[in-house]
């Protein structure tokens, strides 16, 4: 078989089942609560859940990654489960791209959510995620998906293969905003842990 990206290839994205398979597709990561704990707001609650012996699966990423050289693109779906840690909805860690001048496209396939974005100037943007929404993440904007619904939030991300994922800043400071359930509804609020 030819190496990824040396030759054209195709895979299947089942738009009804929201599954991707074939060719170079593989599971790229699985994130359980123990891997997400440094990114959540209510770490005491997260510790309680972990102490009870549970380490729930929060999300999985499945797709193909071509070699990390300029000009290549990769594509992966993220399956983000519904749920909360305390009042905070399940979410991805969120990251800046290591290579600053790289953008990304998110195509939502199923579920309901928000894509929370923030740049280094501290500007924040939130886009709604629902089947059929296509969201552009410009260069320099960190991005985190949040599942505010009761079903899986599934989206396809297409990104430069050499973009790289920088989780450091988000791990340290989080985003300026958190998304929590208040009075039974999603609410975008200031992150009390945020420091300028
Ligand atoms: C996505 C994300 C994926 C998981 O493919 O990597 O949704 O989120 P975290 O990487 O923040 O854990 C993407 O944005 N790629 O660049
Ligand atoms: Zn990204």
């Amino acid at each position: 078989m030819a190496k990824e990206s040396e030759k054209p290839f195709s895979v299947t994205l089942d738009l009804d089942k929201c599954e991707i398979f074939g060719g170079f597709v593989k599971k790229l990561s699985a994130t359980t609560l123990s891997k997400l704990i440094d990114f959540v707001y209510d770490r005491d609650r997260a510790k309680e859940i972990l102490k009870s012996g549970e380490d729930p699966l929060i999300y999985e990423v499945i797709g193909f990654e071509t070699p990390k050289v300029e000009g290549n693109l990769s594509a992966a779906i993220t399956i983000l489960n519904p749920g909360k840690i305390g009042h905070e909805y399940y979410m991805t860690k969120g990251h800046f791209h290591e290579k600053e001048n790289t953008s990304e496209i998110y195509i939502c396939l199923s579920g309901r959510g928000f894509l929370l974005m923030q740049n280094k100037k501290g500007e924040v943007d939130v886009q709604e995620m629902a089947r059929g929404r296509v969201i552009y993440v410009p260069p320099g904007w960190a991005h985190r998906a949040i599942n505010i619904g009761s079903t899986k939030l599934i989206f396809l991300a297409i990104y430069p293969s050499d973009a790289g994922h920088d989780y450091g800043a988000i791990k340290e400071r989080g985003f300026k905003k958190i998304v929590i359930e208040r009075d039974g509804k999603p609410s975008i609020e200031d992150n009390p842990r945020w420091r300028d």
Side-chain angles (χ1 to χ4, degrees), residues 56-191:
L57 176 67
I58 313 288
Y59 60 98
E60 286 183 314
V61 181
I62 301 162
F64 61 82
E65 280 194 328
T66 62
K68 298 181 191 321
V69 294
E70 195 167 280
N72 284 354
L73 290 174
S74 292
I77 64 164
T78 299
I79 304 168
L80 176 53
N81 284 325
K84 279 177 290 167
I85 301 147
H87 298 286
E88 189 174 29
Y89 295 98
Y90 280 8
M91 61 193 188
T92 58
K93 290 177 185 170
H95 58 269
F96 283 96
H97 289 161
E98 269 165 28
K99 188 172 173 184
E100 271 190 26
N101 199 23
T102 54
S103 53
E104 183 157 4
I105 303 257
Y106 272 41
I107 301 166
C108 187
L109 304 172
S110 185
R112 282 183 58 228
F114 288 135
L115 188 64
L116 171 63
M117 290 173 273
Q118 182 173 321
N119 66 13
K120 295 237 159 107
K121 283 193 252 169
E123 294 170 306
V124 173
D125 191 281
V126 178
Q127 297 291 325
E128 276 187 45
M129 300 181 82
R131 184 171 168 85
R133 305 249 6 126
V134 179
I135 303 171
Y136 178 60
V137 182
W141 287 74
H143 38 290
R144 164 182 286 167
I146 297 142
N147 187 348
I148 59 166
S150 53
T151 59
K152 291 174 192 289
L153 176 66
I154 307 177
F155 57 90
L156 177 71
I158 303 171
Y159 52 97
S161 304
D162 60 343
H165 296 84
D166 175 5
Y167 297 99
I170 305 298
K171 192 170 178 178
E172 215 163 280
R173 306 165 78 198
F175 282 77
K176 272 186 157 175
K177 301 282 179 185
I178 55 173
V179 183
I180 61 168
E181 187 184 69
R182 192 179 285 281
D183 304 325
K185 283 185 298 202
S187 168
I188 302 165
E189 306 200 350
D190 287 339
N191 177 5

